[in-house]
Amino acid sequence: MKNILVIGSVGQIGSELTLELRKRYGNNNVVAGFRSTKPVGELLESGPAEIVDATNIDQITEVVKKYKIDTIYNLAAILSAVGESKPLAAWNVGIGGLMNCLEVSHEYNCALFTPSSIGAFGGGTPLDNTPQDTIQRPQTMYGVTKVTGELLSDYYHKRFGVDTRSVRYPGIISNVTLPGGGTTDYAVEIYYEAVKTGKFVCPLGKGTFLDMMYMPDAIDAAIDLMEADPTKLVHRNSFNVTAMSFDPEIISAEIKKHLPSFEMTYNVEPMKQAIANSWPNNMDDSCARKEWGWNPKWNLEKMTVDMLKVISDKHAKGLI
Ligand code: SER
């Protein structure tokens, strides 16, 4: 039986990943680590929760010792758009936090998952069918932390044998916890606004293609990679994974199929647009498929039906 610590358990991915890990490995075996925002509801009630600030190595160590943790999911991060206004904080959380996790994982023999991102690309990366191994010279602080994180994670694996693994997540679309400060967040917000107001002002321009993924696939990616047979892994930090690629026109048209009066207009935010322009239009994730069986289940059509249903239900109950 695994004993797992999720750092960043109240975030967009952490809040859903923690619950799924509890379902698979047992409620008491998955600790929800949080910093300032305490978990609420099912996340708090279904299993242990502890204060774990990624930038505080003593807090990580204490919890790892107390719960005999053998696997850490390190999800603490400051996303791309916010990272541009707070570069030092983005570095301290992204890299300070990762170094702490790597050191603790080395000392206490933990496996460690730390997501990378499409943000790790840029600066000469081929943007179509972006290869697994290619140029990575990102122009955002977020991207700099992600490339550095990939290198550090591979270093600790090769030098000390730490079982580090990672995926380069595309934009993650979900309906439980909102993302914050990312460039791909528009693809979540558009569903909420479509249900609540029937209108959406898009911060990215027509023709801005980005890789995206629905949360259930994102969670499967993390857990399946951590469960993968290590002898099959040629790569480790980090695997391209994607499920779909679309631009604002395509997602808007898909929503319109269900909400015909939905209207989208544009008010392009130059910083977000510049970031999006430097990221892949669509990644080649064949290494993930071959090395550990990555196979996403959700496409834009199926995801849109589910997103609109869940968000409409919440809206009808006055929850949003
Ligand atoms: N969703 C992230 C962002 O937009 C990318 O990994 O910052």
Side-chain angles (χ1 to χ4, degrees):
M1 185 59 83
K2 280 192 194 306
N3 291 320
I4 299 171
L5 167 62
V6 179
I7 298 178
S9 69
V10 297
Q12 187 201 8
I13 298 174
S15 56
E16 296 194 54
L17 176 65
T18 303
L19 293 179
E20 182 60 29
L21 288 168
R22 283 180 176 160
K23 265 188 216 143
R24 297 200 201 185
Y25 301 106
N27 284 347
N28 292 329
N29 301 317
V30 181
V31 180
F34 64 98
R35 194 174 61 95
S36 50
T37 309
K38 210 177 167 190
V40 291
E42 193 187 352
L43 192 56
L44 182 67
E45 285 145 24
S46 61
E50 295 278 352
I51 294 179
V52 183
D53 181 339
T55 64
N56 185 329
I57 195 165
D58 295 336
Q59 286 178 358
I60 303 173
T61 305
E62 282 312 305
V63 171
V64 164
K65 277 165 46 182
K66 180 173 169 188
Y67 292 91
K68 299 187 169 40
I69 296 295
D70 53 46
T71 305
I72 300 173
Y73 286 81
N74 165 35
L75 304 175
I78 289 180
L79 294 184
S80 58
V82 171
E84 290 308 281
S85 56
K86 296 182 183 167
L88 182 60
W91 179 266
N92 287 343
V93 173
I95 297 305
L98 173 61
M99 278 302 288
N100 291 339
C101 290
L102 287 165
E103 280 292 313
V104 172
S105 296
H106 180 207
E107 183 160 357
Y108 294 93
N109 202 18
C110 299
L112 176 62
F113 175 85
T114 307
S116 184
S117 160
I118 48 174
F121 292 118
T125 303
L127 299 183
D128 286 309
N129 214 20
T130 302
Q132 170 67 38
D133 301 307
T134 185
I135 297 165
Q136 292 180 267
R137 304 288 293 176
Q139 289 118 18
T140 61
M141 191 61 189
Y142 178 71
V144 169
T145 67
K146 289 304 182 190
V147 175
T148 308
E150 291 185 9
L151 292 170
L152 287 170
S153 298
D154 270 346
Y155 173 78
Y156 270 73
H157 173 64
K158 290 198 182 103
R159 175 90 169 80
F160 303 116
V162 179
D163 187 0
T164 55
R165 307 183 188 192
S166 173
V167 295
R168 293 183 184 128
Y169 277 134
I172 305 297
I173 296 164
S174 64
N175 51 50
V176 174
T177 307
L178 286 171
T183 302
T184 59
D185 295 5
Y186 94 89
V188 178
E189 287 154 8
I190 192 171
Y191 287 107
Y192 280 83
E193 290 307 312
V195 169
K196 290 199 296 192
T197 67
K199 293 187 173 67
F200 180 64
V201 182
C202 189
L204 298 181
K206 203 183 268 197
T208 308
F209 279 82
L210 290 166
D211 284 295
M212 299 280 176
M213 185 182 292
Y214 199 28
M215 185 62 89
D217 279 331
I219 288 171
D220 281 348
I223 300 176
D224 289 354
L225 175 57
M226 292 312 279
E227 288 282 356
D229 175 353
T231 64
K232 303 255 163 62
L233 300 181
V234 179
H235 298 84
R236 276 178 173 267
N237 302 285
S238 176
F239 284 95
N240 287 3
V241 285
T242 185
M244 59 191 95
S245 166
F246 55 74
D247 83 328
E249 291 290 304
I250 293 174
I251 186 173
S252 167
E254 196 57 38
I255 291 172
K256 254 179 181 294
K257 285 186 194 164
H258 305 275
L259 301 173
S261 60
F262 174 63
E263 274 174 30
M264 185 177 72
T265 53
Y266 290 95
N267 185 10
V268 171
E269 291 178 28
M271 188 186 70
K272 283 191 178 171
Q273 186 66 53
I275 293 174
N277 289 349
S278 73
W279 288 356
N281 303 326
N282 52 78
M283 290 186 286
D284 172 1
D285 60 6
S286 52
C287 288
R289 289 173 187 268
K290 193 167 143 215
E291 291 174 39
W292 50 276
W294 164 242
N295 188 16
K297 298 181 183 72
W298 293 83
N299 60 19
L300 176 63
E301 292 75 16
K302 222 172 119 186
M303 175 181 77
T304 298
V305 171
D306 201 54
M307 281 293 281
L308 291 176
K309 182 182 175 305
V310 175
I311 295 169
S312 301
D313 287 352
K314 280 195 196 183
H315 191 52
K317 289 182 188 148
L319 296 173
I320 54 164

